[in-house]
Amino acid sequence: MSVLLDILGSVGMWEAVLRIATPLIFGTLGVLLCERVGVLNLGIEGIMTFGAMLGWLTVYSGGDLWTGMLVAALGGAMFGFLHALLTVPLGLSQHVTGLGITLFASSFSYYVFRLAIPTASSPPTIEPFRPLDIPLLSDVPFIGPVLFNQTAPTYLALALVAALVWILYRTPLGLAIRMAGENPHAVDAQGIDPIWLRIGTIMAGSALMGMAGAFLTLAAFNSFFPTMVQGRGWICVALVVFASWNPARALLGALLFAFFDAFQLRLQTVVEGVPYQLFLMLPYVLSIVALIAMARRSRVPQALMQPYRRGER
């Protein structure tokens, strides 16, 4: 029991929670935007991998870190446009298209990486984002190091949660996005083209997915390797259901998963005689339990995964 209390009282663990949660926040907001407008985007795993590679390659080639984030967002938006083009006006299967984009983007990322770095035996490194030392606030005991000693993209992710809450629930654009995922015919009746609204929103959500991947190479780590996303994209898809398609709850879900992940990492160092694979399972098992508990009360957007055809109901 004392070991568990020591872990829970550790400043380092709570710092890690916010750091681990950051790519999940970006990715979950991206999936949430796509699904709010009525389109399931299972391309997130590949888009995150592509964003991680593109952001890293931009900085490795001489760009600054924020340029790397921007290029990763543009790369994500590019794949988002491809997904939107196939699923919205053409009405192809969102499941098949999304999985196809994941396979293509992941493979293409490794291909481009090898073209740029053909002979390196180990991934080259860059200088990543450094934690910001906010005067006075970072000196507050416990809270200061946890909340005010993070990298800049972490604060951007938190700001995007607040921005997305405001856009979705306080602006005409947000109302149109939500209605496109509920009843696109009603959006069309108001003079807004649901097809272009869906395409634009999917591109915006996919840009956030690209930024989620870029965080891994530009802040969490300092190099790129093809398997670094490690299923975070699928976790983001599950977190959207856990959050009932609400950005504020999505933040809570990302922090909850990150807590489980940070906790199991520290358990591995203090508990002996237990296979480490059991600890690796812990955040996923607990997330499944939480997802089952919350999914019963979730209300799915009524037009999710339903292609829109003008004049058809």
Side-chain angles (χ1 to χ4, degrees):
M1 181 61 73
S2 62
V3 171
L4 296 180
L5 293 177
D6 288 342
I7 293 175
L8 293 175
S10 166
V11 172
M13 196 200 82
W14 293 104
E15 281 185 283
V17 167
L18 202 50
R19 184 172 62 253
I20 293 170
T22 300
L24 298 178
I25 296 171
F26 279 119
T28 303
L29 293 180
V31 176
L32 188 147
L33 263 179
C34 293
E35 295 192 9
R36 268 297 190 177
V37 84
V39 177
L40 176 67
N41 191 347
L42 294 181
I44 179 172
E45 190 81 3
I47 292 172
M48 286 180 66
T49 303
F50 187 68
M53 184 279 301
L54 206 55
W56 174 86
L57 187 59
T58 300
V59 177
Y60 182 74
S61 302
D64 62 57
L65 292 166
W66 284 112
T67 302
M69 292 289 289
L70 176 61
V71 171
L74 293 175
M78 178 189 71
F79 275 108
F81 179 72
L82 176 61
H83 182 65
L85 185 65
L86 294 173
T87 58
V88 179
L90 298 181
L92 301 182
S93 168
Q94 296 176 16
H95 293 92
V96 174
T97 302
L99 292 174
I101 286 177
T102 281
L103 294 172
F104 173 65
S106 299
S107 302
F108 186 62
S109 299
Y110 185 62
Y111 173 71
V112 172
F113 175 72
R114 276 306 173 195
L115 282 181
I117 315 292
T119 58
S121 57
S122 60
T125 60
I126 60 169
E127 186 66 25
F129 282 101
R130 295 298 181 189
L132 299 176
D133 187 11
I134 301 176
L136 299 179
L137 293 177
S138 60
D139 296 328
V140 177
F142 195 85
I143 295 177
V146 173
L147 296 180
F148 304 110
N149 194 28
Q150 299 287 341
T151 59
T154 295
Y155 299 116
L156 175 60
L158 296 174
L160 284 173
V161 174
L164 197 55
V165 169
W166 180 75
I167 290 170
L168 285 178
Y169 299 107
R170 293 289 184 270
T171 68
L173 174 61
L175 178 61
I177 288 172
R178 288 186 288 125
M179 188 51 62
E182 299 286 348
N183 185 354
H185 296 280
V187 176
D188 200 6
Q190 295 299 313
I192 301 172
D193 189 341
I195 291 177
W196 283 109
L197 179 62
R198 283 184 167 183
I199 290 173
T201 306
I202 293 166
M203 291 178 66
S206 299
L208 292 177
M209 298 174 194
M211 294 173 69
F215 178 86
L216 297 176
T217 50
L218 304 184
F221 307 102
N222 61 358
S223 60
F224 170 77
F225 49 95
T227 59
M228 68 188 314
V229 175
Q230 293 183 331
R232 288 179 176 88
W234 311 130
I235 292 296
C236 291
V237 175
L239 287 177
V240 171
V241 180
F242 172 85
S244 298
W245 291 268
N246 181 295
R249 291 182 183 176
L251 171 61
L252 176 62
L255 291 171
L256 183 63
F257 180 86
F259 168 76
F260 292 150
D261 202 9
F263 188 62
Q264 66 86 13
L265 287 172
R266 278 150 182 80
L267 276 181
Q268 289 186 45
T269 63
V270 298
V271 178
E272 298 178 355
V274 179
Y276 74 92
Q277 290 89 347
L278 292 178
F279 294 114
L280 293 175
M281 288 170 51
L282 181 63
Y284 298 95
V285 172
L286 294 177
S287 296
I288 290 171
V289 172
L291 179 63
I292 292 172
M294 293 297 295
R296 288 171 169 265
R297 292 174 283 179
S298 296
R299 183 183 177 277
V300 181
Q302 294 301 298
L304 180 60
M305 295 187 292
Q306 295 181 11
Y308 171 71
R309 294 286 185 272
R310 185 173 279 110
E312 296 181 5
R313 288 186 179 271

